Amino acid sequence: MEQGSIFDLQSLPEGCVSNILSLTSPSDACRSSVVSSIFRSAANSDSVWEKFLPSDIHKILSSSVSPSSLPNFSSKKDLFLYLCDNPLLIDNGSKTFTLEKRSGKKCYMIGAKELSIIWGDAPRYWEWRPDPDSRFSEVAKLLRVCWLEIRGKMETRLLSPNTMYGAYIVLKFTDKAYGFEDLLAEVSVKLASGDGGAEEGEVKSVYLDPRSVPSNTGAHRQQRGINRGIFRLFPWSARSSNALNPEEAVRDPRPEGQVPRERWDGWMEIDMGEFFNDRGDDGEVEMSLLEVKRGNWKSGLIIQGIELRPKENQ
């Protein structure tokens, strides 16, 4: 090519364009489709979207609770987009699987039945029941405990490699919940190797009551905009004898800690921590939530599960 000449990308064969796009990301491939008809055809081709799907996608689909009920997909792109928007119930209903739309990375939610919940099998302390808003057949409803301990784990080989993940416990409260006002719990995420060794994960303090706003962080500014939604989701908080209105919640001086945040699906979630998945096939990630120091009785917490998904800022 002569110096100063311009190369016309549209002159490339469609197969060459497909190979190039398969080395990018799903979001890049979608954006490239507006360049020309050749790029649009290449960006929609199975050869591109097959690269964006996990290498073990057939195994994942076969582990679905009802594989026969899956639609007949006309293209790999249709399958990819379906898995982004429709959590797939897998492993006998113990987990759900989705894809992160921009990157194609794997996302999982571990159902409450698959978690280790202290006294979870004691009917006087916890109740297992269906919930129409849950992905799973049953959720865990806290009846009354003074020792709250929830743990979960997952093999790193199931997750996307070389990816920064965040872990989030997904929960909500009943109208008559109590015992969570100003209550700080501890959450942690750590990696464990196949030989039983484990890295020490960061232990963070979090509020279980979504009205709790640490005054020494910038969270109070955002909280002004979401307090109405929180009081709608948690009517018990407005009726509590020591309930705070939104402005009081902002001014109230409390120890620093995170608060539950509303999700797109109507549930709440707490950020438990993050980890970089570089363990390959030899490792586990372990997550925990504990409130065992204060000793007060608590009731009305509903646990759907723990979600693992790629961090947005990776």
Side-chain angles (χ1 to χ4, degrees), residues 151-255:
R151 298 182 183 273
K153 60 183 179 180
M154 191 168 191
E155 295 175 276
T156 56
R157 65 178 179 83
L158 299 175
L159 303 171
S160 296
N162 300 316
T163 301
M164 181 66 74
Y165 273 91
Y168 307 85
I169 188 163
V170 182
L171 46 76
K172 62 181 179 180
F173 294 85
T174 66
D175 290 352
K176 298 181 180 180
Y178 64 83
F180 298 100
E181 298 83 358
D182 300 333
L183 188 65
L184 274 173
E186 293 182 346
V187 293
S188 68
V189 176
K190 63 182 180 180
L191 286 168
S193 60
D195 58 7
E199 293 181 359
E200 285 298 323
E202 178 188 5
V203 177
K204 301 191 299 183
S205 295
V206 297
Y207 286 106
L208 297 180
D209 183 349
R211 298 172 300 125
S212 303
V213 183
S215 61
N216 56 343
T217 72
H220 65 283
R221 291 190 295 272
Q222 184 175 5
Q223 191 69 15
R224 291 179 184 273
I226 64 174
N227 263 310
R228 288 184 180 179
I230 286 178
F231 281 106
R232 175 177 55 81
L233 287 169
F234 301 87
W236 57 269
S237 64
R239 296 196 301 268
S240 175
S241 60
N242 62 344
L244 303 176
N245 64 45
E247 292 302 317
E248 289 173 334
V250 168
R251 293 194 300 267
D252 189 51
R254 309 178 187 213

Side-chain angles (χ1 to χ4, degrees), residues 247-264:
E247 292 302 317
E248 289 173 334
V250 168
R251 293 194 300 267
D252 189 51
R254 309 178 187 213
E256 182 176 356
Q258 297 182 38
V259 295
R261 296 186 179 275
E262 188 175 359
R263 291 164 50 93
W264 62 271

Side-chain angles (χ1 to χ4, degrees), residues 54-82:
S55 59
D56 58 347
I57 187 60
H58 296 295
K59 183 178 180 180
I60 293 171
L61 293 176
S62 65
S63 69
S64 168
V65 170
S66 53
S68 60
S69 66
L70 291 173
N72 292 320
F73 302 102
S74 60
S75 67
K76 299 292 186 181
K77 182 179 180 180
D78 286 346
L79 171 58
F80 179 94
L81 295 177
Y82 178 87

Side-chain angles (χ1 to χ4, degrees), residues 89-313:
L89 197 61
I90 62 172
D91 295 351
N92 297 317
S94 64
K95 302 182 186 74
T96 61
F97 169 83
T98 54
L99 292 174
E100 203 277 323
K101 187 171 292 185
R102 287 174 297 181
S103 66
K105 302 285 189 178
K106 296 177 178 180
C107 310
Y108 287 92
M109 186 185 290
I110 309 169
K113 273 288 188 182
E114 190 76 359
L115 302 177
S116 173
I117 301 177
I118 296 299
W119 297 332
D121 56 352
R124 62 181 296 188
Y125 298 120
W126 289 87
E127 176 187 4
W128 294 90
R129 66 175 193 179
D131 188 300
D133 298 324
S134 174
R135 302 179 183 183
F136 303 97
S137 60
E138 290 184 318
V139 297
K141 177 188 174 184
L142 172 59
L143 299 180
R144 191 168 184 262
V145 298
C146 61
W147 183 289
L148 182 62
E149 182 175 342
I150 302 171
R151 298 182 183 273
K153 60 183 179 180
M154 191 168 191
E155 295 175 276
T156 56
R157 65 178 179 83
L158 299 175
L159 303 171
S160 296
N162 300 316
T163 301
M164 181 66 74
Y165 273 91
Y168 307 85
I169 188 163
V170 182
L171 46 76
K172 62 181 179 180
F173 294 85
T174 66
D175 290 352
K176 298 181 180 180
Y178 64 83
F180 298 100
E181 298 83 358
D182 300 333
L183 188 65
L184 274 173
E186 293 182 346
V187 293
S188 68
V189 176
K190 63 182 180 180
L191 286 168
S193 60
D195 58 7
E199 293 181 359
E200 285 298 323
E202 178 188 5
V203 177
K204 301 191 299 183
S205 295
V206 297
Y207 286 106
L208 297 180
D209 183 349
R211 298 172 300 125
S212 303
V213 183
S215 61
N216 56 343
T217 72
H220 65 283
R221 291 190 295 272
Q222 184 175 5
Q223 191 69 15
R224 291 179 184 273
I226 64 174
N227 263 310
R228 288 184 180 179
I230 286 178
F231 281 106
R232 175 177 55 81
L233 287 169
F234 301 87
W236 57 269
S237 64
R239 296 196 301 268
S240 175
S241 60
N242 62 344
L244 303 176
N245 64 45
E247 292 302 317
E248 289 173 334
V250 168
R251 293 194 300 267
D252 189 51
R254 309 178 187 213
E256 182 176 356
Q258 297 182 38
V259 295
R261 296 186 179 275
E262 188 175 359
R263 291 164 50 93
W264 62 271
D265 57 4
W267 289 75
M268 304 289 286
E269 69 180 20
I270 294 176
D271 187 345
M272 304 178 73
E274 61 184 31
F275 65 97
F276 186 73
N277 183 31
D278 59 354
R279 295 300 178 94
D281 294 341
D282 183 29
E284 275 187 336
V285 57
E286 301 176 353
M287 303 143 288
S288 66
L289 181 147
L290 293 88
E291 199 295 298
V292 297
K293 296 179 180 179
R294 190 160 165 179
N296 63 310
W297 290 92
K298 299 166 280 291
S299 177
L301 174 66
I302 299 176
I303 302 293
Q304 181 178 187
I306 294 179
E307 186 171 60
L308 297 169
R309 64 176 187 259
K311 297 286 284 188
E312 293 182 0
N313 60 352

Side-chain angles (χ1 to χ4, degrees), residues 24-52:
T24 61
S25 69
S27 58
D28 290 333
C30 289
R31 284 194 290 264
S32 71
S33 64
V34 302
V35 173
S36 68
S37 58
I38 292 178
F39 270 74
R40 186 179 309 112
S41 178
N44 291 327
S45 66
D46 281 352
S47 61
V48 169
W49 290 91
E50 188 170 13
K51 293 292 183 67
F52 296 150

